[in-house]
Amino acid sequence: MRLVVGRIGRAHGIRGDVAVDVRTDDPEARFADGSVLETDPAGAGPLTVSSTRRHSGRLLVRFKGVAGRDAAERLRGTLLLVDSAEIAPLDDPDEFHDHELVGLYAVTTDGEPVGTVEDVLHHAQDVLVITTPEGGEVLVPFVAALVPEVDVAGGRIVLDPPPGLLDLAD
């Protein structure tokens, strides 16, 4: 699975630097010198990071082979991607990357099927978006009280929903 780690914004200066809208919690690793990033659209890359720096709170990146403002400006809007297999698992057994949760099958503590995790929303509270077998959608706050078990290797999560939470899918 390919994961978005950034989006190229406008060119900065005349030497080919671009501002990057960072979409990863580990920009130092993803944008380290020598890192190779896939792109969407694919024809724009792959891009190899030659240098990075911070300027006015933004990450500025220079890619090998991108010389000059015009070449940098042509990259504007390009998504920067990595393969999820390249991302190391987290040390905390109670924390998960989104790509580890998407695709897990959800059941209740009683074994009743709920559906499949389709997305993870990050607002004030992390929320699992679960699609039911009937095509409905259930939003479940991703907290231990409601999601007591996550078995990534087994491909499932267990939900302990309060009365009425799962009825919203109808």
Side-chain angles (χ1 to χ4, degrees):
M1 172 186 288
R2 295 181 338 153
L3 305 173
V4 175
V5 296
R7 183 180 161 278
I8 297 177
R10 63 188 177 103
H12 180 85
I14 61 170
R15 293 193 172 108
D17 292 356
V18 293
V20 172
D21 173 24
V22 176
R23 297 185 183 172
T24 177
D25 58 351
D26 193 4
E28 291 78 22
R30 302 290 154 246
F31 298 102
D33 292 359
S35 294
V36 178
L37 301 167
E38 296 179 46
T39 61
D40 182 11
L47 296 171
T48 302
V49 176
S50 64
S51 67
T52 60
R53 63 187 170 102
R54 291 268 176 198
H55 177 73
S56 298
R58 295 182 306 170
L59 180 67
L60 299 180
V61 179
R62 185 175 299 169
F63 296 104
K64 290 182 182 172
V66 178
R69 184 174 187 85
D70 291 340
E73 195 60 42
R74 284 191 291 275
L75 293 173
R76 184 180 231 172
T78 300
L79 296 177
L80 302 170
L81 313 164
V82 296
D83 189 321
S84 61
E86 296 175 15
I87 297 176
L90 297 168
D91 293 334
D92 187 341
D94 293 329
E95 289 189 23
F96 304 92
H97 293 292
D98 291 359
H99 70 273
E100 293 176 300
L101 299 171
V102 172
L104 296 182
Y105 192 71
V107 298
T108 66
T109 52
D110 297 331
E112 294 293 319
V114 176
T116 304
V117 177
E118 294 295 327
D119 198 3
V120 182
L121 305 177
H122 301 282
H123 298 294
Q125 171 66 56
D126 292 343
V127 176
L128 300 175
V129 179
I130 300 173
T131 301
T132 66
E134 298 79 29
E137 185 176 88
V138 179
L139 302 177
V140 178
F142 190 45
V143 295
L146 300 178
V147 186
E149 183 181 338
V150 177
D151 181 5
V152 174
R156 73 181 193 122
I157 62 171
V158 176
L159 306 177
D160 189 10
L165 179 67
L166 301 181
D167 297 337
L168 299 176
D170 299 332

Coordinates of all heavy atoms in Angstrom, one line a residue, residues 58-158:
R58 N 8.1 26.1 7.4 CA 7.8 25.2 6.3 C 9.0 24.4 6.0 O 10.2 24.8 6.2 CB 7.4 26.0 5.0 CG 6.2 26.8 5.1 CD 5.8 27.4 3.8 NE 7.0 28.2 3.4 CZ 7.1 28.8 2.2 NH1 6.2 28.7 1.3 NH2 8.2 29.5 1.9
L59 N 8.7 23.2 5.5 CA 9.8 22.3 5.1 C 10.1 22.6 3.6 O 9.2 22.5 2.8 CB 9.4 20.8 5.2 CG 10.5 19.8 4.8 CD1 11.7 19.9 5.8 CD2 9.9 18.4 4.8
L60 N 11.4 22.9 3.3 CA 11.8 23.1 2.0 C 12.7 22.0 1.6 O 13.6 21.6 2.3 CB 12.6 24.4 1.8 CG 11.9 25.7 2.2 CD1 12.8 26.9 2.0 CD2 10.6 25.9 1.4
V61 N 12.4 21.4 0.4 CA 13.1 20.2 -0.1 C 13.7 20.5 -1.5 O 13.0 21.1 -2.3 CB 12.2 19.0 -0.2 CG1 12.9 17.8 -0.7 CG2 11.5 18.7 1.2
R62 N 14.9 20.0 -1.7 CA 15.5 20.1 -3.0 C 15.7 18.6 -3.5 O 16.2 17.8 -2.7 CB 16.8 20.8 -3.0 CG 17.4 20.9 -4.4 CD 18.6 21.7 -4.5 NE 18.4 23.1 -4.0 CZ 19.3 24.0 -3.7 NH1 20.6 23.6 -3.9 NH2 19.0 25.2 -3.2
F63 N 15.2 18.3 -4.7 CA 15.3 17.0 -5.2 C 16.4 16.9 -6.3 O 16.6 17.9 -7.1 CB 14.0 16.6 -5.9 CG 12.8 16.4 -4.9 CD1 11.9 17.4 -4.8 CD2 12.8 15.4 -4.0 CE1 10.8 17.3 -3.9 CE2 11.7 15.2 -3.1 CZ 10.7 16.2 -3.1
K64 N 17.1 15.8 -6.4 CA 18.1 15.6 -7.4 C 17.5 15.8 -8.8 O 16.4 15.2 -9.0 CB 18.8 14.3 -7.3 CG 19.7 14.2 -6.0 CD 20.4 12.8 -5.9 CE 21.2 12.8 -4.6 NZ 21.7 11.5 -4.3
G65 N 18.2 16.5 -9.7 CA 17.7 16.6 -11.0 C 16.7 17.7 -11.3 O 16.2 17.9 -12.4
V66 N 16.2 18.4 -10.2 CA 15.3 19.5 -10.3 C 16.1 20.7 -10.1 O 16.4 21.1 -9.0 CB 14.2 19.4 -9.3 CG1 13.2 20.5 -9.4 CG2 13.4 18.0 -9.4
A67 N 16.5 21.3 -11.3 CA 17.3 22.5 -11.2 C 16.5 23.7 -11.7 O 16.0 23.7 -12.9 CB 18.5 22.3 -12.1
G68 N 16.3 24.7 -10.9 CA 15.7 25.9 -11.3 C 14.2 26.0 -10.9 O 13.6 25.0 -10.6
R69 N 13.8 27.2 -10.9 CA 12.4 27.5 -10.4 C 11.3 26.9 -11.3 O 10.3 26.4 -10.9 CB 12.2 29.0 -10.3 CG 10.9 29.4 -9.8 CD 10.8 30.9 -9.5 NE 9.5 31.2 -8.8 CZ 9.4 31.2 -7.5 NH1 10.4 30.8 -6.7 NH2 8.2 31.5 -7.0
D70 N 11.6 26.9 -12.6 CA 10.6 26.4 -13.6 C 10.4 24.9 -13.4 O 9.2 24.4 -13.3 CB 11.0 26.7 -15.0 CG 10.9 28.2 -15.4 OD1 10.2 28.9 -14.6 OD2 11.5 28.6 -16.3
A71 N 11.4 24.1 -13.2 CA 11.3 22.7 -13.0 C 10.6 22.4 -11.7 O 9.8 21.5 -11.6 CB 12.7 22.1 -13.0
A72 N 11.0 23.2 -10.6 CA 10.3 23.0 -9.3 C 8.8 23.3 -9.4 O 8.0 22.6 -8.8 CB 11.0 23.9 -8.3
E73 N 8.5 24.4 -10.1 CA 7.1 24.8 -10.2 C 6.3 23.7 -10.9 O 5.1 23.5 -10.6 CB 7.0 26.1 -10.9 CG 5.6 26.8 -10.8 CD 5.2 27.1 -9.3 OE1 6.1 27.6 -8.5 OE2 4.1 26.9 -9.0
R74 N 6.9 23.0 -11.9 CA 6.1 21.9 -12.6 C 5.7 20.8 -11.6 O 4.9 20.0 -11.9 CB 6.9 21.4 -13.8 CG 6.9 22.3 -14.9 CD 7.5 21.7 -16.2 NE 8.9 21.4 -16.1 CZ 9.9 22.3 -16.4 NH1 9.6 23.5 -16.8 NH2 11.2 22.0 -16.3
L75 N 6.4 20.7 -10.5 CA 6.1 19.6 -9.5 C 5.0 20.0 -8.6 O 4.5 19.1 -7.8 CB 7.4 19.3 -8.7 CG 8.5 18.6 -9.4 CD1 9.7 18.5 -8.5 CD2 8.1 17.3 -10.0
R76 N 4.5 21.2 -8.6 CA 3.5 21.7 -7.7 C 2.3 20.8 -7.8 O 1.8 20.4 -8.8 CB 3.1 23.1 -8.1 CG 2.1 23.7 -7.1 CD 1.7 25.1 -7.6 NE 1.9 26.0 -6.4 CZ 1.8 27.3 -6.4 NH1 1.6 27.9 -7.6 NH2 2.0 28.0 -5.3
G77 N 1.8 20.4 -6.6 CA 0.6 19.5 -6.5 C 0.9 18.1 -6.5 O 0.0 17.2 -6.3
T78 N 2.2 17.7 -6.8 CA 2.5 16.3 -6.8 C 2.5 15.7 -5.4 O 3.0 16.3 -4.4 CB 4.0 16.1 -7.4 OG1 4.0 16.7 -8.7 CG2 4.4 14.7 -7.4
L79 N 1.9 14.5 -5.3 CA 1.9 13.8 -4.0 C 3.2 13.0 -3.9 O 3.6 12.4 -4.8 CB 0.7 12.9 -3.9 CG -0.7 13.6 -3.8 CD1 -1.8 12.6 -3.8 CD2 -0.8 14.5 -2.6
L80 N 3.8 13.0 -2.7 CA 5.0 12.2 -2.4 C 4.5 10.9 -1.6 O 3.8 11.1 -0.6 CB 6.0 13.0 -1.6 CG 6.4 14.3 -2.4 CD1 7.2 15.2 -1.4 CD2 7.2 13.9 -3.6
L81 N 5.0 9.8 -2.0 CA 4.5 8.5 -1.5 C 5.6 7.6 -1.0 O 6.7 7.6 -1.6 CB 3.7 7.8 -2.5 CG 2.6 8.6 -3.3 CD1 2.2 7.8 -4.6 CD2 1.4 8.8 -2.4
V82 N 5.3 6.7 -0.1 CA 6.2 5.7 0.3 C 5.4 4.4 0.4 O 4.2 4.4 0.6 CB 6.9 5.9 1.7 CG1 7.8 7.1 1.6 CG2 5.9 6.0 2.8
D83 N 6.0 3.3 0.3 CA 5.4 2.0 0.5 C 5.2 1.7 2.0 O 6.2 1.9 2.7 CB 6.2 0.9 -0.2 CG 5.5 -0.5 -0.3 OD1 4.8 -0.8 0.7 OD2 5.7 -1.1 -1.3
S84 N 4.0 1.2 2.4 CA 3.8 1.0 3.8 C 4.7 0.0 4.4 O 5.0 0.0 5.6 CB 2.3 0.6 4.0 OG 2.0 -0.6 3.3
A85 N 5.3 -0.9 3.5 CA 6.2 -1.9 4.0 C 7.5 -1.3 4.5 O 8.2 -1.9 5.3 CB 6.5 -3.0 2.9
E86 N 7.8 -0.1 4.1 CA 9.0 0.6 4.5 C 8.9 1.3 5.9 O 9.9 1.7 6.4 CB 9.4 1.6 3.5 CG 9.7 1.1 2.1 CD 10.0 2.2 1.1 OE1 10.2 3.4 1.5 OE2 10.0 1.9 -0.1
I87 N 7.7 1.3 6.4 CA 7.4 2.0 7.7 C 7.5 1.0 8.8 O 6.8 0.0 8.9 CB 6.1 2.7 7.7 CG1 6.1 3.8 6.6 CG2 5.8 3.3 9.0 CD1 4.8 4.5 6.4
A88 N 8.4 1.3 9.7 CA 8.6 0.4 10.9 C 7.4 0.4 11.8 O 6.8 1.5 12.0 CB 9.9 0.9 11.7
P89 N 7.1 -0.7 12.4 CA 6.0 -0.7 13.4 C 6.4 0.1 14.6 O 7.5 0.4 14.9 CB 5.9 -2.2 13.8 CG 7.2 -2.9 13.3 CD 7.8 -2.0 12.3
L90 N 5.3 0.6 15.3 CA 5.5 1.4 16.4 C 5.9 0.6 17.6 O 5.6 -0.6 17.7 CB 4.2 2.2 16.7 CG 3.7 3.1 15.6 CD1 2.3 3.6 15.9 CD2 4.7 4.3 15.6
D91 N 6.6 1.2 18.6 CA 7.1 0.5 19.7 C 6.0 0.2 20.7 O 6.0 -0.8 21.4 CB 8.2 1.3 20.5 CG 9.5 1.4 19.6 OD1 9.7 0.5 18.8 OD2 10.2 2.4 19.8
D92 N 5.0 1.1 20.8 CA 3.9 1.0 21.7 C 2.8 0.0 21.2 O 2.3 0.2 20.1 CB 3.3 2.3 22.0 CG 2.2 2.3 23.1 OD1 1.7 1.3 23.4 OD2 1.9 3.4 23.6
P93 N 2.5 -1.1 21.9 CA 1.6 -2.1 21.4 C 0.1 -1.5 21.3 O -0.7 -2.1 20.7 CB 1.7 -3.2 22.4 CG 2.2 -2.6 23.6 CD 3.1 -1.5 23.2
D94 N -0.1 -0.4 21.9 CA -1.4 0.2 21.9 C -1.6 1.4 20.8 O -2.5 2.1 20.8 CB -1.8 0.8 23.2 CG -2.0 -0.4 24.2 OD1 -2.4 -1.5 23.8 OD2 -1.7 -0.2 25.4
E95 N -0.5 1.5 20.0 CA -0.6 2.5 18.9 C -0.4 1.8 17.6 O 0.3 0.8 17.5 CB 0.5 3.6 19.1 CG 0.3 4.5 20.3 CD 1.3 5.6 20.3 OE1 1.9 6.0 19.3 OE2 1.5 6.2 21.4
F96 N -1.1 2.4 16.6 CA -1.1 1.8 15.3 C -1.0 2.8 14.2 O -1.5 3.9 14.3 CB -2.4 1.0 15.1 CG -2.7 0.0 16.1 CD1 -3.4 0.3 17.3 CD2 -2.1 -1.3 16.0 CE1 -3.6 -0.6 18.3 CE2 -2.3 -2.2 17.0 CZ -3.1 -1.9 18.2
H97 N -0.4 2.5 13.1 CA -0.5 3.3 11.9 C -1.8 3.1 11.2 O -2.4 2.0 11.3 CB 0.6 2.9 10.9 CG 2.0 3.2 11.4 ND1 2.5 4.4 11.5 CD2 3.0 2.3 11.7 CE1 3.8 4.4 11.9 NE2 4.1 3.1 12.0
D98 N -2.3 4.1 10.5 CA -3.6 4.0 9.9 C -3.7 2.8 8.9 O -4.6 2.1 8.9 CB -3.9 5.3 9.1 CG -4.2 6.5 10.0 OD1 -4.2 6.3 11.2 OD2 -4.5 7.5 9.4
H99 N -2.6 2.6 8.1 CA -2.6 1.5 7.2 C -2.7 0.1 7.8 O -3.1 -0.8 7.2 CB -1.4 1.6 6.2 CG -0.1 1.3 6.9 ND1 0.7 2.2 7.6 CD2 0.6 0.1 7.0 CE1 1.8 1.6 8.0 NE2 1.8 0.4 7.7
E100 N -2.3 0.0 9.1 CA -2.5 -1.2 9.8 C -3.9 -1.5 10.2 O -4.3 -2.7 10.3 CB -1.6 -1.2 11.1 CG -0.1 -1.2 10.9 CD 0.6 -1.1 12.1 OE1 0.5 -0.1 12.9 OE2 1.4 -2.0 12.4
L101 N -4.7 -0.5 10.4 CA -6.1 -0.6 10.8 C -7.1 -0.8 9.6 O -8.0 -1.5 9.7 CB -6.5 0.6 11.6 CG -5.7 0.8 12.9 CD1 -6.1 2.2 13.5 CD2 -6.0 -0.3 13.9
V102 N -6.8 -0.1 8.5 CA -7.6 -0.2 7.3 C -7.6 -1.6 6.8 O -6.6 -2.2 6.6 CB -7.2 0.8 6.2 CG1 -7.9 0.6 4.9 CG2 -7.3 2.3 6.7
G103 N -8.8 -2.1 6.6 CA -9.0 -3.5 6.1 C -9.2 -4.5 7.2 O -9.6 -5.7 6.8
L104 N -9.1 -4.1 8.4 CA -9.4 -5.1 9.5 C -10.9 -5.3 9.6 O -11.7 -4.4 9.4 CB -8.9 -4.6 10.9 CG -7.4 -4.4 11.0 CD1 -7.0 -4.0 12.4 CD2 -6.6 -5.7 10.7
Y105 N -11.3 -6.5 9.9 CA -12.7 -6.9 10.0 C -13.1 -6.6 11.5 O -12.4 -7.0 12.4 CB -12.9 -8.3 9.7 CG -14.4 -8.6 9.5 CD1 -15.1 -8.1 8.4 CD2 -15.1 -9.4 10.5 CE1 -16.5 -8.3 8.3 CE2 -16.4 -9.6 10.3 CZ -17.1 -9.1 9.2 OH -18.5 -9.3 9.1
A106 N -14.2 -5.9 11.7 CA -14.7 -5.6 13.0 C -15.8 -6.5 13.4 O -16.8 -6.7 12.7 CB -15.2 -4.1 13.0
V107 N -15.7 -7.0 14.7 CA -16.8 -7.8 15.3 C -17.0 -7.2 16.7 O -16.2 -6.5 17.3 CB -16.4 -9.3 15.4 CG1 -16.3 -9.9 14.0 CG2 -15.2 -9.5 16.3
T108 N -18.2 -7.5 17.3 CA -18.5 -7.1 18.6 C -17.9 -8.1 19.6 O -17.5 -9.2 19.2 CB -20.0 -6.9 18.9 OG1 -20.6 -8.2 18.8 CG2 -20.7 -6.0 17.9
T109 N -17.9 -7.7 20.9 CA -17.4 -8.7 21.9 C -18.2 -9.9 21.9 O -17.7 -11.0 22.4 CB -17.4 -8.0 23.3 OG1 -18.7 -7.5 23.6 CG2 -16.4 -6.9 23.4
D110 N -19.5 -9.9 21.4 CA -20.3 -11.1 21.3 C -20.1 -11.9 20.1 O -20.7 -12.9 19.8 CB -21.8 -10.7 21.4 CG -22.2 -10.0 22.7 OD1 -21.5 -10.3 23.7 OD2 -23.1 -9.2 22.7
G111 N -19.2 -11.4 19.2 CA -18.9 -12.1 18.0 C -19.7 -11.7 16.8 O -19.6 -12.3 15.7
E112 N -20.6 -10.7 17.0 CA -21.5 -10.3 15.9 C -20.7 -9.5 14.9 O -19.9 -8.6 15.2 CB -22.6 -9.4 16.4 CG -23.6 -10.1 17.3 CD -24.4 -11.1 16.5 OE1 -24.8 -10.8 15.4 OE2 -24.6 -12.2 17.1
P113 N -20.8 -9.8 13.6 CA -20.0 -9.0 12.6 C -20.5 -7.6 12.5 O -21.7 -7.3 12.5 CB -20.3 -9.8 11.3 CG -21.5 -10.6 11.5 CD -21.6 -10.8 13.0
V114 N -19.6 -6.7 12.3 CA -19.9 -5.3 12.1 C -19.6 -4.8 10.7 O -20.4 -4.1 10.1 CB -19.2 -4.4 13.2 CG1 -19.5 -2.9 13.0 CG2 -19.6 -4.8 14.6
G115 N -18.4 -5.1 10.3 CA -18.0 -4.7 8.9 C -16.5 -4.5 8.8 O -15.7 -5.1 9.6
T116 N -16.0 -3.7 7.9 CA -14.6 -3.6 7.6 C -14.2 -2.1 7.8 O -14.8 -1.2 7.4 CB -14.3 -4.0 6.2 OG1 -14.8 -5.4 6.0 CG2 -12.8 -4.0 5.9
V117 N -13.0 -1.9 8.4 CA -12.5 -0.6 8.6 C -12.0 -0.1 7.3 O -11.2 -0.7 6.6 CB -11.3 -0.6 9.6 CG1 -10.7 0.8 9.7 CG2 -11.7 -1.1 11.0
E118 N -12.6 1.0 6.8 CA -12.3 1.6 5.5 C -11.4 2.8 5.6 O -10.7 3.1 4.7 CB -13.6 2.1 4.8 CG -14.5 0.9 4.5 CD -13.9 0.0 3.4 OE1 -13.2 0.4 2.5 OE2 -14.2 -1.2 3.5
D119 N -11.4 3.5 6.8 CA -10.6 4.7 6.9 C -10.4 5.0 8.4 O -11.2 4.5 9.3 CB -11.3 5.9 6.2 CG -10.4 7.1 5.9 OD1 -9.2 7.0 6.2 OD2 -10.9 8.1 5.4
V120 N -9.5 5.9 8.7 CA -9.3 6.4 10.0 C -9.3 8.0 9.9 O -8.5 8.5 9.2 CB -8.0 6.0 10.7 CG1 -7.8 6.5 12.1 CG2 -7.9 4.4 10.7
L121 N -10.2 8.6 10.6 CA -10.3 10.1 10.6 C -9.6 10.6 11.8 O -9.7 10.1 12.9 CB -11.8 10.5 10.6 CG -12.7 9.9 9.5 CD1 -14.1 10.4 9.7 CD2 -12.1 10.3 8.2
H122 N -8.9 11.7 11.6 CA -8.1 12.3 12.7 C -8.7 13.7 12.9 O -8.3 14.7 12.2 CB -6.6 12.4 12.4 CG -6.0 11.1 12.1 ND1 -5.7 10.2 13.2 CD2 -5.7 10.4 11.0 CE1 -5.2 9.1 12.7 NE2 -5.2 9.2 11.4
H123 N -9.6 13.8 13.8 CA -10.1 15.1 14.2 C -9.8 15.3 15.7 O -8.7 15.0 16.1 CB -11.7 15.2 13.9 CG -12.0 15.0 12.5 ND1 -11.6 15.9 11.5 CD2 -12.6 13.9 11.8 CE1 -12.0 15.4 10.3 NE2 -12.6 14.2 10.5
A124 N -10.7 15.9 16.5 CA -10.4 16.0 17.9 C -10.2 14.6 18.5 O -9.5 14.5 19.5 CB -11.6 16.7 18.6
Q125 N -10.8 13.6 18.0 CA -10.7 12.2 18.4 C -10.5 11.4 17.2 O -11.2 11.6 16.2 CB -12.0 11.8 19.2 CG -12.1 10.3 19.5 CD -11.1 9.9 20.5 OE1 -11.0 10.5 21.6 NE2 -10.2 9.0 20.2
D126 N -9.6 10.4 17.3 CA -9.5 9.4 16.2 C -10.7 8.6 16.0 O -11.3 8.2 17.0 CB -8.3 8.5 16.4 CG -6.9 9.3 16.3 OD1 -6.9 10.4 15.8 OD2 -5.9 8.7 16.8
V127 N -11.2 8.4 14.8 CA -12.5 7.8 14.6 C -12.3 6.7 13.5 O -11.7 7.0 12.4 CB -13.6 8.8 14.1 CG1 -14.9 8.0 13.8 CG2 -13.8 9.8 15.2
L128 N -12.7 5.5 13.7 CA -12.7 4.5 12.7 C -14.0 4.6 11.8 O -15.1 4.7 12.4 CB -12.7 3.1 13.4 CG -11.5 2.8 14.3 CD1 -11.7 1.4 14.9 CD2 -10.2 2.8 13.5
V129 N -13.8 4.5 10.5 CA -14.9 4.5 9.6 C -15.1 3.0 9.2 O -14.2 2.5 8.5 CB -14.7 5.4 8.4 CG1 -15.9 5.3 7.4 CG2 -14.4 6.8 8.8
I130 N -16.2 2.4 9.6 CA -16.4 1.0 9.3 C -17.6 0.9 8.3 O -18.7 1.4 8.6 CB -16.7 0.2 10.6 CG1 -15.5 0.4 11.6 CG2 -17.1 -1.2 10.3 CD1 -15.8 -0.2 12.9
T131 N -17.4 0.2 7.2 CA -18.4 -0.1 6.3 C -19.1 -1.5 6.6 O -18.4 -2.5 6.7 CB -17.9 -0.1 4.8 OG1 -17.3 1.1 4.6 CG2 -19.0 -0.4 3.8
T132 N -20.4 -1.5 6.8 CA -21.1 -2.7 7.2 C -21.3 -3.5 5.9 O -21.2 -3.1 4.8 CB -22.5 -2.3 7.8 OG1 -23.3 -1.7 6.8 CG2 -22.3 -1.4 9.0
P133 N -21.6 -4.8 6.1 CA -21.9 -5.7 5.0 C -23.0 -5.2 4.1 O -23.1 -5.5 2.9 CB -22.2 -7.1 5.6 CG -21.5 -7.0 6.9 CD -21.6 -5.6 7.4
E134 N -24.0 -4.5 4.7 CA -25.1 -4.0 4.0 C -24.8 -2.7 3.2 O -25.6 -2.1 2.5 CB -26.3 -3.7 4.9 CG -26.8 -4.9 5.6 CD -26.0 -5.3 6.8 OE1 -25.3 -4.4 7.4 OE2 -25.9 -6.5 7.1
G135 N -23.6 -2.2 3.4 CA -23.2 -0.9 2.7 C -23.3 0.3 3.5 O -23.0 1.4 3.1
G136 N -23.8 0.2 4.8 CA -23.9 1.4 5.6 C -22.5 1.7 6.2 O -21.5 1.1 5.9
E137 N -22.5 2.8 7.0 CA -21.3 3.3 7.5 C -21.5 3.6 9.0 O -22.5 4.2 9.4 CB -20.9 4.6 6.8 CG -19.5 5.1 7.2 CD -19.1 6.3 6.4 OE1 -19.5 7.5 6.8 OE2 -18.5 6.2 5.4
V138 N -20.5 3.1 9.8 CA -20.5 3.3 11.3 C -19.2 4.1 11.6 O -18.2 3.7 11.1 CB -20.6 2.0 12.0 CG1 -20.5 2.2 13.5 CG2 -21.8 1.2 11.6
L139 N -19.4 5.1 12.4 CA -18.2 5.8 12.9 C -18.0 5.4 14.4 O -18.9 5.6 15.2 CB -18.4 7.3 12.8 CG -18.7 7.8 11.4 CD1 -18.9 9.3 11.4 CD2 -17.5 7.5 10.5
V140 N -16.8 4.9 14.7 CA -16.6 4.4 16.1 C -15.3 5.2 16.6 O -14.2 5.1 16.0 CB -16.3 2.9 16.1 CG1 -15.9 2.4 17.5 CG2 -17.5 2.2 15.6
P141 N -15.5 5.9 17.7 CA -14.3 6.5 18.3 C -13.2 5.5 18.6 O -13.6 4.4 19.2 CB -14.8 7.2 19.6 CG -16.3 7.4 19.3 CD -16.7 6.3 18.4
F142 N -12.0 5.7 18.3 CA -10.9 4.8 18.5 C -10.3 5.0 19.8 O -9.2 5.6 20.0 CB -9.9 4.9 17.4 CG -8.9 3.8 17.4 CD1 -9.2 2.5 17.5 CD2 -7.5 4.1 17.2 CE1 -8.3 1.4 17.5 CE2 -6.6 3.1 17.2 CZ -7.0 1.7 17.3
V143 N -11.0 4.5 20.9 CA -10.6 4.5 22.3 C -10.7 3.1 22.8 O -11.5 2.3 22.4 CB -11.4 5.5 23.1 CG1 -11.2 7.0 22.6 CG2 -12.9 5.2 23.1
A144 N -9.9 2.8 23.8 CA -9.8 1.5 24.4 C -11.1 1.0 24.9 O -11.4 -0.2 24.9 CB -8.7 1.4 25.5
A145 N -12.0 1.9 25.5 CA -13.2 1.5 26.0 C -14.2 0.9 25.0 O -15.0 0.0 25.2 CB -13.9 2.6 26.8
L146 N -14.1 1.4 23.7 CA -14.9 1.0 22.6 C -14.3 0.0 21.7 O -14.9 -0.8 21.0 CB -15.4 2.2 21.8 CG -16.2 3.2 22.6 CD1 -16.6 4.4 21.6 CD2 -17.5 2.6 23.2
V147 N -12.9 0.0 21.7 CA -12.2 -0.9 20.9 C -11.1 -1.6 21.8 O -10.0 -1.2 21.8 CB -11.5 -0.2 19.7 CG1 -10.8 -1.2 18.8 CG2 -12.4 0.7 18.9
P148 N -11.6 -2.6 22.5 CA -10.7 -3.2 23.5 C -9.6 -4.1 22.9 O -8.6 -4.4 23.6 CB -11.6 -4.0 24.4 CG -12.8 -4.3 23.6 CD -13.0 -3.1 22.6
E149 N -9.8 -4.6 21.7 CA -8.8 -5.5 21.1 C -8.6 -5.1 19.6 O -9.5 -5.0 18.8 CB -9.4 -6.9 21.2 CG -8.4 -8.0 20.7 CD -9.0 -9.4 20.8 OE1 -9.9 -9.6 21.5 OE2 -8.5 -10.2 20.0
V150 N -7.3 -5.1 19.3 CA -6.9 -4.9 17.9 C -5.9 -6.0 17.6 O -4.8 -6.1 18.2 CB -6.2 -3.5 17.7 CG1 -5.7 -3.4 16.3 CG2 -7.2 -2.4 18.0
D151 N -6.2 -6.8 16.7 CA -5.4 -8.0 16.3 C -5.0 -7.8 14.8 O -5.7 -8.3 13.9 CB -6.1 -9.3 16.5 CG -5.3 -10.5 16.1 OD1 -4.1 -10.4 15.8 OD2 -5.9 -11.6 16.2
V152 N -3.9 -7.0 14.6 CA -3.5 -6.7 13.2 C -3.1 -8.0 12.5 O -3.6 -8.3 11.4 CB -2.3 -5.7 13.2 CG1 -1.8 -5.6 11.8 CG2 -2.8 -4.4 13.8
A153 N -2.4 -8.9 13.1 CA -1.9 -10.2 12.5 C -3.1 -11.0 12.2 O -3.2 -11.7 11.2 CB -1.0 -10.9 13.4
G154 N -4.2 -11.0 13.0 CA -5.4 -11.8 12.8 C -6.4 -11.1 11.9 O -7.4 -11.8 11.5
G155 N -6.1 -9.9 11.6 CA -7.0 -9.2 10.7 C -8.4 -8.7 11.2 O -9.3 -8.6 10.5
R156 N -8.4 -8.5 12.5 CA -9.7 -8.1 13.1 C -9.5 -7.2 14.3 O -8.5 -7.1 14.9 CB -10.5 -9.3 13.5 CG -10.0 -10.0 14.8 CD -10.9 -11.2 15.1 NE -10.5 -11.6 16.5 CZ -11.3 -11.7 17.5 NH1 -12.6 -11.4 17.3 NH2 -10.9 -12.0 18.7
I157 N -10.6 -6.4 14.6 CA -10.7 -5.6 15.8 C -12.0 -6.0 16.5 O -13.0 -6.5 15.8 CB -10.7 -4.1 15.5 CG1 -11.9 -3.7 14.7 CG2 -9.4 -3.7 14.9 CD1 -12.1 -2.2 14.5
V158 N -12.0 -5.9 17.8 CA -13.2 -6.2 18.6 C -13.7 -4.9 19.1 O -13.0 -4.1 19.7 CB -12.9 -7.2 19.7 CG1 -14.1 -7.4 20.6 CG2 -12.3 -8.5 19.2

